[in-house]
């Protein structure tokens, strides 16, 4: 295919990335566990241009205590504009100990979705932030799977 006919990929600004992050609540957290990558869904809040989530003792908390690199990714699709987007935050994690900061984060509506005690607050400090948006290929009305989000543009 001729590169002139490829859909344009728009690199998002930092402000656009933070706006998309702020308007979402669930992402996929990638950390290293036992020397291999693991991915966990987490609900989060944006606080002071960083990502904060709550967790119970376990892999996510252990990864945060080890201060290893981590990443969080969100994505979405807008059927009205037929555009998809993706945002990735990379950085290092830290445990939040200050009760005032915890209270501020709770004030943002950060409430765990999964049952159980989630008393540990973890911050992912952004060292790199990237995002992109692009128009998706038009779906083939006869061959596109029923689960494909692009179907919403013609249903």
């Amino acid at each position: 295919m001729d590169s002139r006919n490829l859909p344009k990929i728009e690199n998002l600004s930092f402000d656009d990335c933070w706006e998309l992050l702020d308007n979402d609540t669930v992402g996929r957290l990638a950390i290293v566990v036992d020397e291999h990558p693991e991915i966990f869904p987490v609900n989060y809040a944006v606080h002071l241009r960083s990502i904060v989530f709550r967790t119970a003792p376990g892999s996510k908390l252990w990864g945060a205590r080890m201060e290893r690199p981590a990443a969080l990714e969100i994505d979405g699709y807008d059927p009205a504009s037929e555009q998809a987007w993706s945002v990735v935050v990379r950085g290092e994690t830290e445990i939040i100990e200050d009760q005032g900061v915890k209270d501020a984060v709770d004030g943002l509506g950060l409430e765990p979705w999964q049952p159980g005690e989630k008393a540990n607050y973890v911050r992912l400090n952004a060292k790199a932030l990237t995002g992109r948006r692009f128009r998706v290929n038009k779906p083939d009305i006869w061959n596109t799977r029923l689960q494909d989000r692009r179907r919403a543009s013609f249903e």
Side-chain angles (χ1 to χ4, degrees), residues 16-132:
D16 288 339
C17 290
W18 283 116
E19 183 177 340
L20 288 166
L21 285 160
D22 203 26
N23 288 326
D24 209 334
T25 58
V26 177
R28 287 165 296 285
L29 178 73
I31 60 174
V32 176
V33 177
D34 295 329
E35 299 184 28
H36 66 275
E38 292 282 346
I39 298 174
F40 302 92
V42 295
N43 63 301
Y44 69 90
V46 173
H47 179 252
L48 302 175
R49 288 225 165 171
S50 65
I51 302 298
V52 179
F53 61 93
R54 292 173 55 181
T55 189
S59 297
K60 290 179 287 223
L61 183 61
W62 176 252
R65 288 201 190 283
M66 297 298 293
E67 298 179 358
R68 292 184 172 161
L72 181 109
E73 190 265 346
I74 63 169
D75 54 31
Y77 173 69
D78 178 13
S81 68
E82 297 180 344
Q83 290 187 321
W85 54 265
S86 177
V87 175
V88 176
V89 181
R90 291 184 319 231
E92 294 176 355
T93 55
E94 68 175 317
I95 308 298
I96 297 173
E97 302 287 353
D98 184 284
Q99 188 59 49
V101 174
K102 292 179 184 181
D103 292 343
V105 170
D106 286 341
L108 297 171
L110 180 60
E111 182 180 337
W113 285 13
Q114 188 178 31
E117 181 82 19
K118 308 280 192 232
N120 302 287
Y121 291 63
V122 178
R123 181 182 307 277
L124 172 59
N125 291 306
K127 294 202 176 217
L129 178 63
T130 58
R132 63 189 198 136

